[in-house]
Amino acid sequence: MAIKAPRGTADILPQDAALWRFVEKTAAETARNFGYEEIRTPVFEHTELFQRGVGDTTDVVQKEMYTFNDKGDRSITLRPEGTASAARAYIEHSMHALPQPVKLYYCGACYRYEKPQAGRLREFHQFGIEAFGSTDPALDAEIIALASTIFKNLGATGLELNINSIGCPECRKKYNEALTAYLSSHSETLCETCNTRLGKNPMRVLDCKSPVCKEVAAGAPQILSYICEDCRAHFEMVQQYLHAMDIPFTIDASIVRGLDYYTRTVFEFVSTQIGAQGTVCGGGRYDGLLEELGGNPGPGMGFAMGIERIILVLRAMGLVKEEKNSPRLFVASIGQTEAALALCQKLRGYGVYAVCDVAGRSLKAQMKNADREGAKFSLVLGDEEVHSGEAQLKNMETGEKITVSLGDIPALVALI
Ligand code: HAM
């Protein structure tokens, strides 16, 4: 039986790749215009990075990681997200010594063992940004503006921005007491995992995917009512700056995000056009993460968008990207494959898209192929052409032919 791709993975076929390139390029160019520079981190990391960074009572760490022991018996995990890796790299490469904030963007595959459905895969791709070294609410607003500008530049409309503040560890103490009291009164309804979370990290009950827990979470007290003066003032400034940049938003006090590192501002961009998995982008501030990972204390903030979900949004809007890449010259040959290969190779040295037959076709079939590929020009190499060093260059659109010298490549390049 033929082997199929593992469940929850997808091939990106040539006809889809143009749209992927458009999304990746637009996102990266927009981030660069905001002063972000690219970072590439490994696809796998020490498991401990995510246990400490993302948090060991999160769904991601408890249920979804691809973790294995390598041949050296080290516990390794395929990255489920990019923030912990970027923070690790910031610490490892002493980026605190650089002018702050340090602004990084990345794009790559992430892995989560989730139940696959439309917009939810086990291997998916994120475009994300992280900025380290500033607590200023101006950074929060600018980061949200960056996500919004990426969507604008992609032509993705109909996305709604929801924001919230989940306060600092100080606000959380009071909140956790109230939340624990509420959740304990529903403990017989909660799933087993959530019952163990109750004593350790009650906020994680709020983003459990189990329908029963979701129902309980809907009636829970909300953190926004418990945040301290400083966190409230910070959140108000974020809103003021968003207004100043004409970025519409809604405050959604139910957003808590599913990862442990968040503090203060959190936000999501949601689409109603792509089904249940409508969150296209999620992010927020994480002022305790660097310290949690063993670095000097320092703030950070960022977001990640799911490329598969963006593609679903763009397709729902009817956007199609076709990049027909047609040869400038098709070199047909009659028993002169060697000369045809050599001529194409010389032309490619000049950056020309040139092709010849590599499938042993008849001349008639070769010319049909040249037509199908949309070649602008063609020429035929037979014994006579190879001996004389001259051939007929044919304009495939007009049918016009001119004689060209095969020895003068720059002159040939200038003609096609
Ligand atoms: P996240 O909300 O877990 O946040 O993921 C960000 C985005 O990745 C989601 O909004 C969604 O579009 C996409 N995504 C997540 N899981 C899947 C999946 N299984 N299949 C398809 N797409 C998915 C983070 O990962 C944080 N690191 C974001 C962040 C960066 N916060 C601060 N900086």
Side-chain angles (χ1 to χ4, degrees):
M1 219 172 45
I3 298 168
K4 292 203 167 144
R7 188 164 137 79
T9 68
D11 297 310
I12 299 153
L13 299 173
Q15 64 265 33
D16 303 321
L19 191 52
W20 276 77
R21 276 198 301 275
F22 167 69
V23 172
E24 289 163 356
K25 189 164 171 253
T26 305
E29 277 172 4
T30 310
R32 294 185 70 79
N33 283 346
F34 276 71
Y36 285 74
E37 289 192 277
E38 186 178 9
I39 183 163
R40 298 185 190 209
T41 60
V43 165
F44 62 85
E45 298 269 2
H46 292 296
T47 302
E48 195 192 348
L49 175 69
F50 303 112
Q51 285 168 336
R52 273 165 63 182
V54 172
D56 51 18
T57 50
T58 58
D59 259 13
V60 168
V61 171
Q62 284 190 319
K63 302 180 183 168
E64 298 170 0
M65 294 208 302
Y66 278 89
T67 298
F68 57 94
N69 278 10
D70 70 7
K71 291 192 196 300
D73 214 23
R74 298 170 201 93
S75 181
I76 294 292
T77 293
L78 300 185
R79 66 177 172 212
E81 59 107 49
T83 309
S85 304
R88 192 235 351 107
Y90 175 90
I91 298 166
E92 191 166 339
H93 303 285
S94 305
M95 291 190 224
H96 65 273
L98 300 172
Q100 307 290 302
V102 169
K103 293 153 79 174
L104 307 170
Y105 76 86
Y106 52 85
C107 187
C110 297
Y111 301 84
R112 294 186 193 176
Y113 193 79
E114 294 195 81
K115 206 166 164 208
Q117 53 176 268
R120 192 199 273 165
L121 290 104
R122 290 182 175 167
E123 181 188 67
F124 61 100
H125 298 77
Q126 283 190 344
F127 176 86
I129 67 102
E130 312 294 347
F132 297 95
S134 166
T135 51
D136 194 322
L139 177 69
D140 305 43
E142 193 188 64
I143 283 177
I144 295 172
L146 167 51
S148 159
T149 310
I150 290 175
F151 292 128
K152 191 162 160 246
N153 291 347
L154 288 170
T157 51
L159 296 178
E160 277 177 18
L161 166 62
N162 300 319
I163 66 169
N164 192 22
S165 173
I166 58 167
C168 61
E170 275 311 303
C171 329
R172 210 136 332 141
K173 278 185 198 150
K174 262 194 302 165
Y175 175 64
N176 277 347
E177 277 172 30
L179 184 60
T180 309
Y182 168 82
L183 294 173
S184 304
S185 68
H186 291 82
S187 65
E188 69 291 351
T189 322
L190 296 174
C191 77
E192 215 182 296
T193 318
C194 282
N195 266 298
T196 65
R197 284 167 173 164
L198 246 178
K200 289 189 207 152
N201 192 354
M203 267 177 88
R204 289 289 68 89
V205 176
L206 303 179
D207 44 62
C208 179
K209 291 186 184 96
S210 142
V212 279
C213 299
K214 273 189 175 167
E215 213 167 288
V216 174
Q222 294 181 322
I223 182 136
L224 194 54
S225 324
Y226 290 80
I227 64 173
C228 67
E229 270 318 299
D230 282 356
C231 289
R232 188 164 302 281
H234 188 274
F235 191 43
E236 270 161 20
M237 285 312 292
V238 173
Q239 295 173 55
Q240 191 176 319
Y241 291 141
L242 288 175
H243 284 307
M245 289 187 284
D246 283 328
I247 295 172
F249 62 86
T250 305
I251 296 176
D252 179 351
S254 72
I255 298 181
V256 288
R257 310 273 306 129
L259 314 166
D260 266 356
Y261 47 62
Y262 290 113
T263 53
R264 294 191 162 177
T265 315
V266 286
F267 68 98
E268 291 178 348
F269 281 82
V270 183
S271 163
T272 49
Q273 309 163 75
I274 58 169
Q277 303 305 316
T279 309
V280 175
C281 171
R285 184 165 271 292
Y286 44 83
D287 292 345
L289 178 61
L290 291 173
E291 196 176 1
E292 181 65 45
L293 295 179
N296 296 327
M301 159 114 190
F303 66 72
M305 25 185 81
I307 301 186
E308 284 81 359
R309 293 189 192 175
I310 295 177
I311 301 256
L312 286 177
V313 169
L314 297 180
R315 286 214 198 287
M317 293 173 52
L319 188 85
V320 214
K321 279 269 163 219
E322 275 181 41
E323 272 175 23
K324 183 90 186 91
N325 195 15
S326 302
R328 273 163 64 188
L329 180 65
F330 188 96
V331 180
S333 83
I334 313 167
Q336 284 290 349
T337 303
E338 208 176 294
L341 281 170
L343 178 59
C344 285
Q345 198 54 18
K346 280 184 196 148
L347 288 165
R348 292 177 197 131
Y350 286 80
V352 170
Y353 176 7
V355 279
C356 62
D357 177 54
V358 287
R361 290 187 176 88
S362 69
L363 181 62
K364 197 171 154 211
Q366 290 183 51
M367 293 317 290
K368 215 167 136 187
N369 201 22
D371 248 345
R372 198 176 40 232
E373 288 193 21
K376 259 176 88 182
F377 292 92
S378 69
L379 61 75
V380 181
L381 291 185
D383 295 348
E384 200 186 311
E385 285 79 8
V386 171
H387 288 138
S388 68
E390 285 187 343
Q392 297 288 301
L393 179 72
K394 179 178 170 188
N395 182 321
M396 297 291 280
E397 211 181 314
T398 62
E400 187 192 341
K401 284 185 179 169
I402 51 168
T403 305
V404 292
S405 158
L406 297 171
D408 190 352
I409 302 295
L412 179 55
V413 170
L415 284 170
I416 58 180

